[in-house]
């Protein structure tokens, strides 16, 4: 997935009424479910303007 794909996906989710906080919660759940890894979570949250604190 490219950066442009990520931005387009976020825009589509926002167009459905979700806030950036809602998207962040979805991403956290995806990480908990093993769909995305810690690095991917951090990169995606960064695109939303959030800073991710990595867990040891």
């Amino acid at each position: 997935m490219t950066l442009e794909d990520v931005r387009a996906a976020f825009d589509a989710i926002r167009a459905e009424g979700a806030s950036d906080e809602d998207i962040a919660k979805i991403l956290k759940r995806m990480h908990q479910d093993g769909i995305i890894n810690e690095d991917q979570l951090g990169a995606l949250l960064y695109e939303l303007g959030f800073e991710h604190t990595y867990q040891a």
Side-chain angles (χ1 to χ4, degrees), residues 19-31:
S19 67
D20 286 351
E21 289 82 11
D22 295 329
I23 298 170
K25 289 176 188 176
I26 293 166
L27 294 171
K28 179 66 176 173
R29 179 59 155 204
M30 290 174 70
H31 175 257

PDB file of all heavy atoms in Angstrom, residues 19-31:
ATOM      1  N   SER A  19     -14.033  10.288  12.633  1.00  0.00           N
ATOM      2  CA  SER A  19     -13.007  11.267  12.980  1.00  0.00           C
ATOM      3  C   SER A  19     -11.640  10.587  12.932  1.00  0.00           C
ATOM      4  O   SER A  19     -11.540   9.361  12.849  1.00  0.00           O
ATOM      5  CB  SER A  19     -13.257  11.806  14.391  1.00  0.00           C
ATOM      6  OG  SER A  19     -13.053  10.784  15.352  1.00  0.00           O
ATOM      7  N   ASP A  20     -10.595  11.387  13.023  1.00  0.00           N
ATOM      8  CA  ASP A  20      -9.249  10.813  13.077  1.00  0.00           C
ATOM      9  C   ASP A  20      -9.087   9.947  14.327  1.00  0.00           C
ATOM     10  O   ASP A  20      -8.401   8.924  14.289  1.00  0.00           O
ATOM     11  CB  ASP A  20      -8.188  11.911  13.041  1.00  0.00           C
ATOM     12  CG  ASP A  20      -8.044  12.533  11.652  1.00  0.00           C
ATOM     13  OD1 ASP A  20      -8.639  12.009  10.692  1.00  0.00           O
ATOM     14  OD2 ASP A  20      -7.325  13.532  11.541  1.00  0.00           O
ATOM     15  N   GLU A  21      -9.728  10.336  15.415  1.00  0.00           N
ATOM     16  CA  GLU A  21      -9.683   9.523  16.632  1.00  0.00           C
ATOM     17  C   GLU A  21     -10.353   8.165  16.401  1.00  0.00           C
ATOM     18  O   GLU A  21      -9.869   7.142  16.884  1.00  0.00           O
ATOM     19  CB  GLU A  21     -10.353  10.259  17.794  1.00  0.00           C
ATOM     20  CG  GLU A  21      -9.567  11.450  18.303  1.00  0.00           C
ATOM     21  CD  GLU A  21      -9.762  12.726  17.462  1.00  0.00           C
ATOM     22  OE1 GLU A  21     -10.671  12.762  16.587  1.00  0.00           O
ATOM     23  OE2 GLU A  21      -8.992  13.672  17.667  1.00  0.00           O
ATOM     24  N   ASP A  22     -11.458   8.162  15.654  1.00  0.00           N
ATOM     25  CA  ASP A  22     -12.133   6.906  15.322  1.00  0.00           C
ATOM     26  C   ASP A  22     -11.223   6.008  14.489  1.00  0.00           C
ATOM     27  O   ASP A  22     -11.138   4.800  14.728  1.00  0.00           O
ATOM     28  CB  ASP A  22     -13.430   7.157  14.543  1.00  0.00           C
ATOM     29  CG  ASP A  22     -14.481   7.893  15.349  1.00  0.00           C
ATOM     30  OD1 ASP A  22     -14.524   7.727  16.591  1.00  0.00           O
ATOM     31  OD2 ASP A  22     -15.274   8.633  14.730  1.00  0.00           O
ATOM     32  N   ILE A  23     -10.540   6.606  13.532  1.00  0.00           N
ATOM     33  CA  ILE A  23      -9.628   5.843  12.677  1.00  0.00           C
ATOM     34  C   ILE A  23      -8.477   5.281  13.518  1.00  0.00           C
ATOM     35  O   ILE A  23      -8.078   4.128  13.348  1.00  0.00           O
ATOM     36  CB  ILE A  23      -9.101   6.705  11.511  1.00  0.00           C
ATOM     37  CG1 ILE A  23     -10.256   7.153  10.616  1.00  0.00           C
ATOM     38  CG2 ILE A  23      -8.059   5.933  10.692  1.00  0.00           C
ATOM     39  CD1 ILE A  23      -9.882   8.197   9.581  1.00  0.00           C
ATOM     40  N   ALA A  24      -7.965   6.084  14.446  1.00  0.00           N
ATOM     41  CA  ALA A  24      -6.892   5.632  15.320  1.00  0.00           C
ATOM     42  C   ALA A  24      -7.337   4.428  16.146  1.00  0.00           C
ATOM     43  O   ALA A  24      -6.582   3.470  16.331  1.00  0.00           O
ATOM     44  CB  ALA A  24      -6.422   6.766  16.225  1.00  0.00           C
ATOM     45  N   LYS A  25      -8.565   4.450  16.625  1.00  0.00           N
ATOM     46  CA  LYS A  25      -9.103   3.315  17.392  1.00  0.00           C
ATOM     47  C   LYS A  25      -9.198   2.065  16.520  1.00  0.00           C
ATOM     48  O   LYS A  25      -8.905   0.960  16.977  1.00  0.00           O
ATOM     49  CB  LYS A  25     -10.469   3.667  17.959  1.00  0.00           C
ATOM     50  CG  LYS A  25     -10.418   4.674  19.078  1.00  0.00           C
ATOM     51  CD  LYS A  25     -11.810   5.064  19.536  1.00  0.00           C
ATOM     52  CE  LYS A  25     -11.765   6.209  20.526  1.00  0.00           C
ATOM     53  NZ  LYS A  25     -13.115   6.658  20.893  1.00  0.00           N
ATOM     54  N   ILE A  26      -9.599   2.248  15.278  1.00  0.00           N
ATOM     55  CA  ILE A  26      -9.668   1.118  14.335  1.00  0.00           C
ATOM     56  C   ILE A  26      -8.270   0.537  14.122  1.00  0.00           C
ATOM     57  O   ILE A  26      -8.086  -0.684  14.136  1.00  0.00           O
ATOM     58  CB  ILE A  26     -10.278   1.561  12.992  1.00  0.00           C
ATOM     59  CG1 ILE A  26     -11.751   1.942  13.168  1.00  0.00           C
ATOM     60  CG2 ILE A  26     -10.108   0.485  11.915  1.00  0.00           C
ATOM     61  CD1 ILE A  26     -12.345   2.694  11.982  1.00  0.00           C
ATOM     62  N   LEU A  27      -7.285   1.409  13.933  1.00  0.00           N
ATOM     63  CA  LEU A  27      -5.916   0.952  13.721  1.00  0.00           C
ATOM     64  C   LEU A  27      -5.382   0.208  14.942  1.00  0.00           C
ATOM     65  O   LEU A  27      -4.719  -0.824  14.801  1.00  0.00           O
ATOM     66  CB  LEU A  27      -5.009   2.134  13.379  1.00  0.00           C
ATOM     67  CG  LEU A  27      -5.299   2.824  12.048  1.00  0.00           C
ATOM     68  CD1 LEU A  27      -4.481   4.105  11.935  1.00  0.00           C
ATOM     69  CD2 LEU A  27      -5.043   1.893  10.886  1.00  0.00           C
ATOM     70  N   LYS A  28      -5.680   0.710  16.127  1.00  0.00           N
ATOM     71  CA  LYS A  28      -5.239   0.038  17.353  1.00  0.00           C
ATOM     72  C   LYS A  28      -5.856  -1.360  17.438  1.00  0.00           C
ATOM     73  O   LYS A  28      -5.177  -2.320  17.780  1.00  0.00           O
ATOM     74  CB  LYS A  28      -5.632   0.885  18.571  1.00  0.00           C
ATOM     75  CG  LYS A  28      -5.254   0.275  19.891  1.00  0.00           C
ATOM     76  CD  LYS A  28      -3.753   0.196  20.070  1.00  0.00           C
ATOM     77  CE  LYS A  28      -3.439  -0.331  21.460  1.00  0.00           C
ATOM     78  NZ  LYS A  28      -2.027  -0.574  21.644  1.00  0.00           N
ATOM     79  N   ARG A  29      -7.121  -1.466  17.083  1.00  0.00           N
ATOM     80  CA  ARG A  29      -7.794  -2.770  17.101  1.00  0.00           C
ATOM     81  C   ARG A  29      -7.165  -3.715  16.067  1.00  0.00           C
ATOM     82  O   ARG A  29      -6.979  -4.900  16.338  1.00  0.00           O
ATOM     83  CB  ARG A  29      -9.277  -2.580  16.827  1.00  0.00           C
ATOM     84  CG  ARG A  29     -10.069  -3.823  16.804  1.00  0.00           C
ATOM     85  CD  ARG A  29      -9.952  -4.555  18.129  1.00  0.00           C
ATOM     86  NE  ARG A  29     -11.122  -5.369  18.268  1.00  0.00           N
ATOM     87  CZ  ARG A  29     -11.606  -5.787  19.385  1.00  0.00           C
ATOM     88  NH1 ARG A  29     -11.010  -5.484  20.503  1.00  0.00           N
ATOM     89  NH2 ARG A  29     -12.666  -6.507  19.427  1.00  0.00           N
ATOM     90  N   MET A  30      -6.827  -3.177  14.890  1.00  0.00           N
ATOM     91  CA  MET A  30      -6.168  -3.992  13.874  1.00  0.00           C
ATOM     92  C   MET A  30      -4.828  -4.522  14.395  1.00  0.00           C
ATOM     93  O   MET A  30      -4.467  -5.660  14.130  1.00  0.00           O
ATOM     94  CB  MET A  30      -5.969  -3.180  12.589  1.00  0.00           C
ATOM     95  CG  MET A  30      -7.252  -2.876  11.857  1.00  0.00           C
ATOM     96  SD  MET A  30      -7.004  -1.774  10.448  1.00  0.00           S
ATOM     97  CE  MET A  30      -6.122  -2.869   9.343  1.00  0.00           C
ATOM     98  N   HIS A  31      -4.125  -3.707  15.146  1.00  0.00           N
ATOM     99  CA  HIS A  31      -2.857  -4.137  15.728  1.00  0.00           C
ATOM    100  C   HIS A  31      -3.103  -5.221  16.771  1.00  0.00           C
ATOM    101  O   HIS A  31      -2.408  -6.241  16.790  1.00  0.00           O
ATOM    102  CB  HIS A  31      -2.131  -2.938  16.344  1.00  0.00           C
ATOM    103  CG  HIS A  31      -0.881  -3.310  17.051  1.00  0.00           C
ATOM    104  ND1 HIS A  31      -0.813  -3.388  18.418  1.00  0.00           N
ATOM    105  CD2 HIS A  31       0.344  -3.657  16.592  1.00  0.00           C
ATOM    106  CE1 HIS A  31       0.402  -3.761  18.771  1.00  0.00           C
ATOM    107  NE2 HIS A  31       1.129  -3.927  17.681  1.00  0.00           N
TER     108      HIS A  31
END
